[in-house]
Amino acid sequence: MRAVRRWAPWVVLVLAAGLVAALLAGTRSGERLAPDNPGREGGQALARVLQSQGVTVRTVLGTAALPEQVAPGTTVLVTGTAYLTPEAGAQLLDRTREADRLVVLVPGPQEDLGTALGLDVRTTWPTGARLTGACADPRVRDGDEVVAWDVQLDSTATSGAVACFPPSPGHNVGGARAGALLTFPATTDHAEVSLVGFSSALTNGRVTEAAHAALGLRLLGASPELLWVTPQPGDAGQGAPQGLWDVLPRSATPAVVLLGAAVLALALWQGRRLGPVVVEPLPAVVHAAQTTRSRGRLYRQAGDRPHALAALQAGARHRAAARLGLSPAADPGALVDAVATATGRPRDQASRLLTDPSATDDTDFVTTARELRSLEEGLHR
Amino acid sequence: MVLRGPVVALVLLGLVPVALWPAAAGTVALLWLLGVAALVAVDLLLTPSPRSVQLTRSPDPQVRLGEPTTTTLTLTGTGERHLRGRLRDAWVPSAGAEGARHTLDLPAGGRRTVTTRLRPTRRGDRRAAGVTVRVHGPLGLAGRQRTVLVPGVVRVLPPFRSRRDLPSRLERLRQLDGRSAVRTRGQGTEFDALRDYVDGDDVRAIDWRATARRQHVVVRTWQPERDRRVVIVLDTSRTSAARVGDEPRLDAAMDAALLLAAVAAHAGDRVDLLAGDRVVRARVGSQAGGASTRSALLHRLVTAMAPLEPVLVEADWTTLAGAVTGLARRRALVVLLTPLEPAAVEEGLLPVLPTLTAHHRVVVASVADPALEALRADVSSLQAVWDAAAAERTEALRRRTAAALGLLGVTVVDELPERLPGALADHYLALKARGLL
């Protein structure tokens, strides 16, 4: 029992540490639309289905990690535009020039998206709740519907872009290019570029609604290989902060050093005692009743009811004899007679209580001891 | 070396220049820290040595347990600088030192005293642990400190709680004195004086020869025997170390010994105290009785008892009995203050007792344990009943041991700690009244 109490906290600690390590070591990602994120905002569902359809899905951390030149037969998916500066955009388009297609998911209205990518595109807040395809893009079929979209993408007729999912069915008839999916044909500068304004529709949570899954598979599954790029802060380029360190002011390190020195001084100031700790020479503490308690435990471990009961009865007989004025060495029979007379109890009951040390079980033992006590109290009345 | 609070503030102040010149922040911070370190070093160099204080302690106090006392340190500045700082007079925790931390402000060549209050919580010699002197530097940044042992001890005397029983016992003693008749006129009663008969005197006490010489009826009076010897033996062996309530049995036994010694000294008897286990640890004897030495005797008794601690060894009763025999050639009342522990008594004491009972009247006074009675009375649960049976068994063994002692002519006084002193004094007075000393 003591060993359990001693080791239990350590065992619990090790188990907890193991659990935390297992959770941390898991290849789960919390990033939106990451191919290994199984949460509602993740993109694992789409990635798994594409893999099962024979598409090789490779995860790339950041546009900066793309190979110098992406080989033909590859679709490149960029899941966000937050770190897309003009420099990064130009680099992205340059590196994906040979690829079959570049798909960029636009998560929301963004002022400088057009300049970042060098394309004729603007973003506005979306209107309407349910969009239908209504365009000539071969990947969009009649009757395809999208019920979750984040941004409306606008272009002009001169760009040659094809706009699908316009905000209203007849919107693009007059030559306007507006919709949730905007596809720019390939040029010498870049591959075919699709800007997708319904990235929410491709998340695990909503991919099963309407035509979302079909659209996703058609957009991404056209080539044998898919490079799934999750943007990283480092994509933004040399000028932008690479991490927390770049955001902090230049004097932070010396300030931290000073604070550390102050804490050290505080510890030295407060930690210095005025003289050593004085210890008390303590005596051994032994309680006089300790041996008696140990004897009680011995009785219990041995289950020695006859001896224990005999001791209780001997004590009761001694006190009763003193009480009734008999000699302590008096014959037990005479004592039982006297006790029975004094308490008014039947003689055989008094005899059993005072002289019979047998008890069948613990309950009988306790009951006999208590009856013996009440017999004694009857004498004192 | 000691750092002080302003150093922390000074280091933190370094944040200001760091914020003002962010371009060279690293250099600024480094220079600032070096500057602070240099200031601390300078302050440390300028600090006077704590050795330039000479410390002397007032004479060691004596105090009864539970009463307050004080100890005074005299500081003398032997250097050429004014000393400022802190001083701590450390004692072991059971000495109960309060206000042990003092402010040090000592001019060069000056003299100051600091007083620490003590309220000890344990009997015995409680020692001073050391005096720490911390001297602050002139800049307030650093200091130097040193701990020296200035020997000191407060001797904590037994509390003598049974003092409250003393007046009633002395009253009973006065009633014994000067009684016209003693029921049993044994060897222990001595002829005191003749005086006029008053109503209520025993007619058997009339001295007819004296009455014939005078016109009045004259009775003889008797006084209890005087100049008897009482030897109190305190057992300091392992059985005395066991605790009854919150203190060892030894402390309760001391209380009983003190009351008995006080009463016997008043009655004009010689009191000797022996304390020991394998060796005799304390030995106090009274000179010829007298009012002036009575309080002196009590004082010597408590002083001898104060440092006694129970030792975890078995008592060697042969040695103790030999010491008693060496002390009292004449017949004496020998009071053995030893717990009635069946095994220890039967193994150690019983074989030795006949040599003592042959010459002396022997009383064994034992401290009973109230916890035993509580254990015996509790039958509320199964474990309680087992314990009650064990307590009954222990009491039966004690009774058997007491009976064995009784067979040797030894009287056993086995009482709870608070009642033992009174019971023992009463037994002594009863023996005195019957002239059995």
Side-chain angles (χ1 to χ4, degrees):
Chain A
M1 202 57 214
R2 179 180 293 175
V4 170
R5 213 174 295 155
R6 185 169 171 188
W7 291 107
W10 297 105
V11 172
V12 169
L13 198 68
V14 167
L15 286 180
L19 195 67
V20 169
L23 286 177
L24 289 180
T27 53
R28 284 153 176 247
S29 148
E31 265 181 271
R32 185 167 189 269
L33 281 169
D36 50 0
N37 181 357
R40 285 191 60 81
E41 290 287 299
Q44 195 175 27
L46 199 54
R48 285 280 171 88
V49 174
L50 282 167
Q51 272 174 328
S52 68
Q53 294 299 319
V55 177
T56 311
V57 177
R58 286 202 287 134
T59 307
V60 179
L61 292 176
T63 52
L66 278 173
E68 277 299 316
Q69 191 51 249
V70 176
T74 308
T75 301
V76 177
L77 168 70
V78 179
T79 59
T81 55
Y83 305 111
L84 219 53
T85 55
E87 189 186 343
Q91 191 190 35
L92 177 66
L93 290 184
D94 181 48
R95 287 189 175 184
T96 56
R97 205 167 54 224
E98 303 270 304
D100 287 355
R101 161 188 295 199
L102 171 65
V103 181
V104 179
L105 303 185
V106 185
Q110 191 175 350
E111 197 68 25
D112 56 354
L113 185 67
T115 40
L117 286 172
L119 296 171
D120 178 16
V121 64
R122 287 169 308 284
T123 55
T124 51
W125 288 102
T127 52
R130 181 177 288 269
L131 305 178
T132 49
C135 69
D137 193 311
R139 285 172 295 261
V140 178
R141 298 188 184 158
D142 286 345
D144 277 356
E145 279 192 333
V146 169
V147 295
W149 62 312
D150 313 302
V151 64
Q152 179 185 327
L153 304 157
D154 295 300
S155 187
T156 53
T158 54
S159 66
V162 178
C164 298
F165 302 103
S168 57
H171 191 273
N172 289 345
V173 176
R177 298 283 186 274
L181 175 66
L182 208 56
T183 306
F184 294 88
T187 66
T188 50
D189 293 336
H190 59 79
E192 188 186 21
V193 178
S194 290
L195 299 179
V196 180
F198 49 86
S199 61
S200 304
L202 303 179
T203 58
N204 293 340
R206 309 203 64 169
V207 75
T208 51
E209 295 175 28
H212 298 171
L215 273 172
L217 291 177
R218 276 184 233 133
L219 273 172
L220 304 175
S223 314
E225 188 167 357
L226 173 64
L227 290 183
W228 193 303
V229 182
T230 49
Q232 301 293 318
D235 297 346
Q238 294 300 319
Q242 299 280 320
L244 182 65
W245 199 246
D246 299 317
V247 186
L248 289 173
R250 289 258 64 87
S251 57
T253 315
V256 167
V257 169
L258 273 181
L259 285 175
V263 169
L264 185 69
L266 185 76
L268 289 175
W269 169 38
Q270 291 291 316
R272 186 76 159 108
R273 293 182 53 88
L274 194 56
V277 177
V278 187
V279 292
E280 174 80 19
L282 279 177
V285 175
V286 184
H287 288 282
Q290 204 152 313
T291 47
T292 304
R293 288 184 193 280
S294 307
R295 190 197 297 275
R297 279 199 292 278
L298 272 182
Y299 275 150
R300 176 173 204 166
Q301 275 169 18
D304 195 353
R305 289 186 288 272
H307 267 108
L309 212 47
L312 285 170
Q313 287 165 342
R317 283 203 301 273
H318 177 83
R319 284 185 294 276
R323 180 85 193 165
L324 297 172
L326 298 172
S327 154
D331 170 44
L335 179 68
V336 167
D337 284 339
V339 168
T341 315
T343 55
R345 294 194 187 217
R347 190 191 180 279
D348 54 345
Q349 191 192 8
S351 169
R352 181 178 65 83
L353 287 178
L354 282 173
T355 58
D356 179 15
S358 60
T360 51
D361 55 10
D362 283 348
T363 323
D364 188 23
F365 171 59
V366 173
T367 316
T368 311
R370 287 183 183 157
E371 281 180 21
L372 189 61
R373 193 51 43 87
S374 73
L375 179 77
E376 264 191 78
E377 279 162 6
L379 277 179
H380 288 267
R381 211 167 283 133
Chain B
M1 177 193 162
V2 178
L3 275 193
R4 297 188 60 205
V7 175
V8 180
L10 204 57
V11 171
L12 286 178
L13 207 60
L15 290 175
V16 175
V18 164
L20 285 181
W21 293 289
T27 324
V28 169
L30 189 66
L31 287 177
W32 187 273
L33 284 180
L34 285 176
V36 172
L39 280 178
V40 168
V42 165
D43 197 24
L44 202 59
L45 283 175
L46 292 177
T47 307
S49 167
R51 287 168 201 270
S52 58
V53 183
Q54 196 192 343
L55 297 156
T56 43
R57 193 183 287 284
S58 58
D60 294 336
Q62 275 197 349
V63 65
R64 276 191 207 289
L65 184 62
E67 289 174 9
T69 183
T70 58
T71 178
T72 303
L73 277 175
T74 306
L75 324 172
T76 315
T78 56
E80 292 159 7
R81 308 264 304 276
H82 192 120
L83 300 184
R84 287 194 176 80
R86 309 264 293 145
L87 183 139
R88 170 179 174 229
D89 186 10
W91 287 76
V92 292
S94 59
E98 293 168 26
R101 283 154 196 265
H102 307 278
T103 307
L104 179 69
D105 186 3
L106 187 65
R111 184 182 285 258
R112 292 279 186 276
T113 58
V114 293
T115 302
T116 303
R117 295 185 302 283
L118 301 173
R119 185 187 285 274
T121 54
R122 269 176 70 200
R123 183 181 54 77
D125 285 350
R126 312 265 68 100
R127 300 190 173 280
V131 178
T132 305
V133 179
R134 179 182 287 186
V135 183
H136 292 164
L139 302 180
L141 296 179
R144 295 164 70 181
Q145 85 173 34
R146 182 165 172 264
T147 303
V148 285
L149 186 66
V150 182
V153 63
V154 55
R155 173 154 289 190
V156 188
L157 308 175
F160 196 10
R161 295 196 189 94
S162 55
R163 243 178 320 177
R164 59 174 190 271
D165 291 337
L166 189 56
S168 64
R169 270 40 181 210
L170 292 182
E171 183 61 35
R172 206 171 302 167
L173 187 66
R174 274 195 288 279
Q175 288 170 1
L176 290 180
D177 221 348
R179 272 202 321 202
S180 66
V182 178
R183 196 178 296 122
T184 51
R185 224 183 297 162
Q187 288 176 331
T189 48
E190 295 167 353
F191 174 71
D192 182 26
L194 293 170
R195 63 166 169 79
D196 286 349
Y197 176 86
V198 292
D199 279 354
D201 280 344
D202 191 344
V203 289
R204 286 175 297 181
I206 296 171
D207 186 334
W208 294 110
R209 198 177 299 181
T211 303
R213 272 203 293 274
R214 305 184 61 179
Q215 298 300 315
H216 319 286
V217 182
V218 172
V219 293
R220 291 177 184 210
T221 62
W222 306 86
Q223 67 168 26
E225 54 198 355
R226 296 180 73 86
D227 290 327
R228 302 286 143 171
R229 300 203 57 151
V230 177
V231 180
I232 304 172
V233 181
L234 261 182
D235 173 13
T236 61
S237 70
R238 64 170 182 90
T239 50
S240 302
R243 283 179 180 244
V244 170
D246 201 26
E247 23 173 58
R249 274 183 169 140
L250 182 63
D251 288 33
M254 284 180 179
D255 221 25
L258 284 173
L259 184 67
L260 177 62
V263 174
H266 268 278
D269 290 336
R270 277 195 61 173
V271 181
D272 293 279
L273 175 89
L274 274 174
D277 34 84
R278 296 211 73 79
V279 293
V280 176
R281 300 201 177 266
R283 192 196 296 260
V284 178
S286 68
Q287 289 82 12
S292 63
T293 59
R294 272 206 297 268
S295 58
L297 169 72
L298 271 187
H299 183 74
R300 280 190 291 134
L301 283 178
V302 291
T303 313
M305 283 178 185
L308 287 180
E309 293 288 343
V311 187
L312 296 184
V313 295
E314 199 71 46
D316 180 4
W317 284 104
T318 316
T319 309
L320 294 177
V324 170
T325 315
L327 211 58
R329 292 292 159 91
R330 282 198 296 152
R331 185 175 169 78
L333 172 68
V334 177
V335 179
L336 305 178
L337 280 159
T338 180
L340 204 56
E341 287 290 333
V345 168
E346 281 165 22
E347 296 282 320
L349 182 56
L350 275 182
V352 184
L353 268 182
T355 58
L356 283 178
T357 50
H359 301 289
H360 308 290
R361 173 163 287 276
V362 180
V363 173
V364 168
S366 154
V367 182
D369 187 359
L372 205 60
E373 179 60 29
L375 275 185
R376 196 185 65 71
D378 185 10
V379 287
S380 57
S381 66
L382 178 60
Q383 181 63 50
V385 175
W386 290 118
D387 285 345
E392 289 278 19
R393 180 75 186 142
T394 307
E395 284 191 3
L397 288 173
R398 284 173 79 100
R399 276 201 300 274
R400 202 182 75 187
T401 311
L405 289 171
L407 284 180
L408 286 169
V410 174
T411 316
V412 175
V413 181
D414 185 23
E415 289 286 350
L416 297 179
E418 63 269 26
R419 290 176 50 199
L420 180 66
L424 186 59
D426 286 345
H427 183 70
Y428 164 80
L429 289 171
L431 290 176
K432 190 115 187 134
R434 287 159 57 200
L436 289 178
L437 286 182

